[in-house]
Amino acid sequence: MEKVRIGIVGTGYIGNVHGRIYSRDERTEIAALFDIVPERAELTAKTIGGKVCSSREELLANCDAVLVTAPNKTHKDIALSAIASGKHVFCEKPFSIGIEDAAELRTAANAGKGVFQVGHNRRYAPVYAKLKELLQSDTPHSAHIKMNRGELKNPVWTGDVNVTGGFLYETTIHLFDMMRFQFGEIEELVAYGSQHEYPEIDEFSIIFKFKNGFHCTFASSSDASWHFPFERIEVFCHHRTIMTEEMERLFDSRGMDANFETLSYHMSEKEEKWGYVQEDKAFIDAILNGTKPPVTADDGFKSVELVESVYKAINTGERIKF
Ligand SMILES: NC(=O)c1ccc[n+]([C@@H]2O[C@H](COP(=O)([O-])OP(=O)(O)OC[C@H]3O[C@@H](n4cnc5c(N)ncnc54)[C@H](O)[C@@H]3O)[C@@H](O)[C@H]2O)c1
């Protein structure tokens, strides 16, 4: 069987995470690397192989599937050129920045001849897959969700709103996608935000109401320290609380007393615990077997729509209805 030739655009932190995973997958071959800082691509080539390309065009001529792993603002253009060349595309989150760009990319992705998958890795993290499984046999009533960071300094561009599109695009969007995955489609939201540490709104309190009647509160801060757990979902059902702690642990407390069961994933490798291995496998499954990629361009678009709606709610004071 011919191997799927992988091309990586942006060989920084996450490009190398996916690259290492594909270098171990017998169905794939690291074929081409491109980074605007060529030394970074050269360093990556030393560890996982691949031809260091001097342009995106050269990369496209040497691969079947493109991983878009450069900073947020570049995603749309890189993804559009890969789709136009008939490639399969794995696009890191965020799908793109702004509704217009997201709509343009969605249209192109859905019309493209290759697979298009968005890198919302947490859907595959065992802790969140388990939460979904538990919620299949119960009815969640409400939840409290948080998604914090300690700083917007590493990588340096995470503090530049012109590159990220805003803090919500960089960090919070992970659990916006997770909310849809766990609890369904959103009907309306109200949001408050304020600015403290960085030159953008960097602190958020949001209330979401879902079409099925479920509702939740959501807190997100850019500079709350990296105190564990920086992300958590607490779900409340009938005489039951299920709580997650990052990708490490899940607690399931049922009944009228204080007993609870703990599931711990702390012994797994980070690449599996965070769902990267599983999402990368799903992308190749979709290419080779024709299965639907689990996080589609439509999902990517909806995350962007949620981010934009929260900013709009804060800037206008309006309640947003979908
Ligand atoms: N899903 C996740 O868990 C996750 C984790 C980290 C990052 N990300 C996303 O992945 C993307 C990259 O993040 P990172 O942490 O790897 O950043 P990074 O700064 O470590 O790496 C980005 C690389 O892209 C290169 N680059 C910049 N502009 C480019 C261009 N136009 N063409 C080619 N290369 C370019 C940079 O030189 C750098 O080497 C971001 O969009 C980020 O939001 C997702």
Side-chain angles (χ1 to χ4, degrees):
M1 187 180 68
E2 294 272 308
K3 292 192 176 198
V4 177
R5 295 173 306 152
I6 303 286
I8 308 178
V9 181
T11 53
Y13 168 68
I14 204 72
N16 277 279
V17 169
H18 294 300
R20 279 195 304 274
I21 292 167
Y22 283 130
S23 71
R24 300 192 299 259
D25 186 333
E26 60 187 18
R27 302 180 300 171
T28 59
E29 170 197 338
I30 306 297
L33 310 171
F34 173 66
D35 196 292
I36 47 163
V37 183
E39 299 78 45
R40 293 197 181 152
E42 278 153 21
L43 207 61
T44 300
K46 277 193 190 133
T47 55
I48 59 169
K51 176 182 166 67
V52 176
C53 301
S54 52
S55 67
R56 239 155 64 188
E57 292 68 34
E58 189 185 354
L59 176 130
L60 291 171
N62 285 281
C63 67
D64 308 308
V66 177
L67 312 186
V68 183
T69 50
N72 305 3
K73 76 160 184 206
T74 66
H75 291 184
K76 186 194 94 171
D77 281 352
I78 299 172
L80 282 178
S81 65
I83 294 165
S85 310
K87 306 296 172 190
H88 306 288
V89 179
F90 175 91
C91 180
E92 259 304 343
K93 47 61 60 175
F95 177 61
S96 59
I97 298 170
I99 285 292
E100 279 172 24
D101 280 6
E104 186 185 345
L105 182 53
R106 177 173 66 170
T107 302
N110 289 339
K113 72 174 205 211
V115 168
F116 192 100
Q117 185 173 320
V118 186
H120 283 298
N121 56 297
R122 277 159 172 77
R123 289 191 182 207
Y124 305 89
V127 78
Y128 288 125
K130 186 69 190 179
L131 176 62
K132 179 139 178 108
E133 183 195 313
L134 294 175
L135 293 179
Q136 296 311 302
S137 56
D138 210 328
T139 306
H141 298 165
S142 67
H144 181 57
I145 302 174
K146 82 163 175 189
M147 173 100 232
N148 285 348
R149 274 181 78 111
E151 36 63 29
L152 296 180
K153 293 185 186 300
N154 184 22
V156 172
W157 58 262
T158 55
D160 184 348
V161 69
N162 295 315
V163 179
T164 61
F167 170 63
L168 293 180
Y169 276 109
E170 183 41 31
T171 299
T172 323
I173 197 166
H174 275 299
L175 288 200
F176 280 3
D177 176 71
M178 183 53 59
M179 280 192 310
R180 291 188 51 249
F181 179 59
Q182 299 287 353
F183 309 123
E185 297 300 335
I186 287 152
E187 187 171 277
E188 60 181 67
L189 67 88
V190 289
Y192 302 91
S194 51
Q195 184 257 321
H196 304 270
E197 183 67 17
Y198 298 102
E200 58 168 308
I201 302 170
D202 55 11
E203 198 90 16
F204 296 83
S205 299
I206 314 160
I207 302 177
F208 291 100
K209 178 172 170 249
F210 291 67
K211 291 195 185 344
N212 57 15
F214 179 84
H215 46 88
C216 68
T217 56
F218 193 123
S220 191
S221 166
S222 66
D223 56 317
S225 87
W226 287 109
H227 174 71
F228 180 86
F230 59 72
E231 73 182 66
R232 168 155 69 195
I233 301 184
E234 286 179 86
V235 189
F236 313 114
C237 311
H238 184 65
H239 292 305
R240 184 179 195 182
T241 293
I242 309 171
M243 183 173 85
T244 62
E245 287 186 336
E246 293 180 22
M247 270 59 80
E248 303 297 316
R249 277 193 290 275
L250 180 148
F251 303 92
D252 186 6
S253 174
R254 297 183 212 199
M256 310 282 268
D257 58 26
N259 290 336
F260 61 89
E261 185 183 359
T262 307
L263 294 171
S264 178
Y265 301 94
H266 76 281
M267 294 296 281
S268 313
E269 293 290 335
K270 180 175 178 185
E271 289 171 359
E272 276 196 31
K273 193 163 52 180
W274 284 50
Y276 298 125
V277 171
Q278 301 89 322
E279 72 174 345
D280 289 351
K281 177 178 178 300
F283 181 53
I284 304 303
D285 288 345
I287 293 171
L288 294 178
N289 309 336
T291 46
K292 189 180 174 217
V295 191
T296 62
D298 293 322
D299 292 315
F301 177 86
K302 289 201 164 165
S303 303
V304 171
E305 191 181 37
L306 275 178
V307 166
E308 288 296 324
S309 303
V310 171
Y311 281 124
K312 185 175 173 204
I314 292 168
N315 291 330
T316 63
E318 283 171 26
R319 175 187 297 244
I320 308 291
K321 293 185 194 289
F322 291 89

